[in-house]
Amino acid sequence: LLSIAANVLPIIYYFLLFMLLFERVVELMQAIYNSSITDGLTRLYNRKFFYNRVSQYVGRHLPVYILFSDIDNFKKLNDTQGHQMGDDVLKQVALIMKEEAEECGIAGRYGGEEMVVMVTDPSVKMDAFAERVRSRIEKETIVTASIGYSKYKNGLSAEELIKQADEAMYRAKMSGKNKVVKYA
């Protein structure tokens, strides 16, 4: 009986040690992967991951919308209130984007103060969705946002679809800011 215990206990010990180490390696790999696809400040998907995901949907000709937002007067906020305030605002706006996109798509940080959402749920009324995002940013933060959106049509590339939403956002900026414009 003692010899059985002497033979089995080291096996159990090494098995448990292996399992603990294996679990830790998996955790580290997940953390590395997550940091490679998300923006460090906002925790939204980064531009590359977002673009790749849009490309997948467009490649399958699936009906998606792209919402493109830009925080109004962000440079002025950074210059007058400091970069910490700018970072805090980016995080607040990102959280709103993430919460709104949770049920119907994915949110990403496209660069600077530009954030994007790909809406993959065809039942979403995009004008109401975009207005809800704009309204929440205005009510829940100290900034406003100009928002544009576009809908996928056959023959469009992912790049063209995102560019259309960007152009609509630019029209919102040029026509008074703090509004939603649909690409037409």
Side-chain angles (χ1 to χ4, degrees), residues 100-148:
E100 290 297 331
E102 219 165 38
E103 301 292 314
C104 62
I106 64 165
R109 182 174 182 195
Y110 214 66
E113 66 274 19
E114 296 174 334
M115 295 183 205
V116 286
V117 175
M118 175 174 64
V119 175
T120 57
D121 180 347
S123 71
V124 169
K125 302 279 176 267
M126 200 54 198
D127 51 347
F129 176 85
E131 179 52 37
R132 189 168 64 243
V133 169
R134 187 211 60 77
S135 173
R136 280 192 63 191
I137 292 169
E138 184 178 28
K139 287 183 186 124
E140 298 172 30
T141 73
I142 61 167
V143 294
T144 59
S146 297
I147 294 175

Side-chain angles (χ1 to χ4, degrees), residues 48-101:
K48 183 176 183 233
F49 181 87
F50 183 86
Y51 178 81
N52 288 342
R53 193 49 65 91
V54 173
S55 294
Q56 289 171 352
Y57 276 80
V58 165
R60 295 190 203 119
H61 308 289
L62 296 169
V64 295
Y65 281 98
I66 300 297
L67 176 148
F68 203 106
S69 75
D70 187 89
I71 298 172
D72 297 323
N73 307 312
F74 187 74
K75 186 183 177 338
K76 187 178 169 194
L77 173 89
N78 252 341
D79 293 346
T80 58
Q81 312 244 348
H83 290 281
Q84 186 57 54
M85 180 61 86
D87 286 354
D88 291 346
V89 165
L90 285 171
K91 289 180 202 168
Q92 291 168 345
V93 172
L95 185 62
I96 292 168
M97 293 288 195
K98 195 174 205 167
E99 287 171 0
E100 290 297 331

